[in-house]
Amino acid sequence: MADVLRNGIATGALEEGRVLLEGPLAEIFGASRSPVRQALRLLEREGLLHAFDGRGLLVGRARDPVRIPVTRGMFPSLTDHAEITGPRMPA
């Protein structure tokens, strides 16, 4: 799971400013929140993700987070579409 997310960040599929949420990621990966949390924390320790307002983890260090749906289609190994970020933040 961490490898898939890391690859998504490296290739730009998950660009800087995306806010990733545990619940929707768990749904996409067909896993419980615990392994998702572990993967996200690993990427946070690696400096790829950063805590955002207590509601998720931010890809990179963007000043203006973007809550746009991220789909399974962004990951070559996954096929079905499902949202893994929260709704777009109001302006």
Side-chain angles (χ1 to χ4, degrees):
M1 190 176 310
D3 288 339
V4 172
L5 292 170
R6 189 181 296 108
N7 186 56
I9 293 167
T11 63
L14 295 173
E15 69 272 0
E16 187 168 347
R18 295 274 182 170
V19 178
L20 303 180
L21 304 173
E22 288 177 12
L25 278 171
E27 183 180 325
I28 279 184
F29 287 104
S32 69
R33 285 181 172 219
S34 182
V36 170
R37 190 175 302 119
Q38 290 173 343
L40 292 175
R41 295 299 170 223
L42 173 63
L43 297 175
E44 183 178 23
R45 284 192 304 272
E46 293 175 3
L48 297 173
L49 301 177
H50 298 89
F52 169 69
D53 200 25
R55 296 180 292 183
L57 289 166
L58 184 67
V59 176
R61 292 187 180 270
R63 293 183 185 187
D64 298 316
V66 181
R67 290 195 174 225
I68 301 172
V70 177
T71 65
R72 287 185 185 188
M74 294 177 156
F75 303 102
S77 60
L78 303 172
T79 56
D80 192 68
H81 295 290
E83 188 177 290
I84 64 171
T85 64
R88 186 178 186 100
M89 294 184 61

